[in-house]
Amino acid sequence: MKLNIGETIKRLRKEKEITQEEFAEVLGVSCQSVSRWENNLCYPDIELIPTIASFFSISTDKLMGIDEITEKENIEKYLERFQLAISKGEINECIAIAREGVKEYPNSYVLLDKLMYALFASGDDDGNIPEWKENMEKYDAEITALGERIMKYCPDLNIRINATARLAFNHCLHGRKEIGKRIFETLPSMELCQEKQIWWALEKDEKLPFLHKAIKDSYELLNTFIWLLADADVVDVETEFIALKKLFELEKLILDGNRPNNNWGTVWMDFDIAKRYALMGDYDNMYKHLRSAADEAKAFDNRPDEQKYTAVLVGEITERKLDFETSDTRPLCEILRDKWLIHDEFDSVRDADRFKEIVKML
């Protein structure tokens, strides 16, 4: 077990605004000894531990970082419970877990961020949460307060940025778009992001893993933007159709066609392109894509706990069932059957035998 005595001494000494020389004089040791402790080159002699703890008015356990180690272990247990619940769409359980964790560790920003996330997700109209509208209103002020606290005080950059984006989104959802836009504008641009700048500082053995991850992340970002073009009602149906076909082509290009056909996004893409074929009156292709969506939904609901695949540009990818996050407790087959297939685009074929057959499959 690694002890963090040196880091603790350094932090507490600076909080007391005393120099290494002054602290060394109090303890009757050399300044070099204090410097070596703070740089984790060695630990103080055992007989000095109670004196140092007393000087800073803390327990010896806290001085040695034992409390911090226990805290990290306990927080990790909360995070594991939270991830298991969110992978099943159990949002109320997520809220309860996060509240329990925050009550025990009120200054844990990772738990505060999870609580903010769960409260925000409870107002998701795309899940199967009957009270989502009430949740949006009920938790608006708390989400805002949590977001502002994390923005202002959280030392972890990634947590702070995620919470900032979520706070801005929450303002937009409540009609406060000007506030949301101002907050969004505080986020770093892609031009200044870590991935674009860090290449020159990497060692040779770090470069290939970096490139694989950067290409994968960039692909997912481009995928999102193309999907928005296709699904945000900003272009005509023909352009939407072309954009969706490009998504299929892009996945094949980046992932070499090696990704198993059991992921949520593929189901939605096949369903979404089937809607466009329905609008264009091309029912043969509509049924083709609906059947693919049904098969993929079944495969998604029965996917393994972990699966791996490789592609030239992204290396080996591991997808875990536990990492999937949703606000809907239903299996995807049920969502496709009872939610997606009731869209107006399919009204003209709803009573057709081929359509009924696909519904029956689900």
Side-chain angles (χ1 to χ4, degrees), residues 116-228:
M116 182 190 180
Y117 173 36
L119 295 175
F120 182 79
S122 74
D124 183 3
D125 64 342
D126 197 41
N128 64 332
I129 304 172
E131 66 278 12
W132 69 269
K133 283 187 179 179
E134 293 86 345
N135 289 342
M136 277 188 68
E137 297 303 321
K138 179 169 66 172
Y139 295 132
D140 179 25
E142 187 174 4
I143 290 168
T144 300
L146 285 166
E148 290 176 348
R149 177 181 174 184
I150 295 169
M151 274 182 65
K152 188 172 183 180
Y153 299 111
C154 180
D156 187 299
L157 180 62
N158 288 331
I159 293 176
R160 195 165 67 244
I161 287 176
N162 278 329
T164 300
R166 196 179 305 118
L167 174 62
F169 192 12
N170 186 64
H171 280 303
C172 292
L173 289 177
H174 286 273
R176 303 186 292 265
K177 287 194 172 183
E178 282 301 316
I179 297 175
K181 187 177 181 181
R182 287 200 299 272
I183 295 174
F184 276 129
E185 287 173 344
T186 68
L187 297 173
S189 68
M190 286 192 288
E191 288 295 317
L192 300 175
C193 72
Q194 176 192 120
E195 287 74 12
K196 191 162 183 180
Q197 307 295 334
I198 201 172
W199 170 261
W200 309 108
L202 297 178
E203 300 296 340
K204 186 175 182 179
D205 62 343
E206 297 175 311
K207 289 184 175 181
L208 183 58
F210 166 81
L211 287 171
H212 282 159
K213 184 177 185 303
I215 292 170
K216 179 177 177 291
D217 291 347
S218 299
Y219 158 64
E220 291 174 353
L221 183 61
L222 181 58
N223 193 305
T224 298
F225 285 135
I226 296 174
W227 206 327
L228 286 172

Side-chain angles (χ1 to χ4, degrees), residues 6 19 38 40 88-89 136 153 163 190 200 210 216 221 237 295 350 354 356 358:
T19 65
E38 293 188 357
N40 294 314
K88 298 178 180 178
M136 277 188 68
Y153 299 111
M190 286 192 288
W200 309 108
F210 166 81
K216 179 177 177 291
L221 183 61
V237 175
D295 289 337
R350 199 165 302 283
R354 292 173 72 184
K356 289 179 180 179
I358 289 169

Side-chain angles (χ1 to χ4, degrees), residues 1-5 8 60-70:
M1 178 175 68
K2 181 183 177 182
L3 301 178
N4 298 314
I5 300 175
T8 304
T60 55
D61 278 357
K62 187 153 189 163
L63 174 64
M64 292 188 290
I66 294 174
D67 285 355
E68 292 179 13
I69 292 168
T70 302

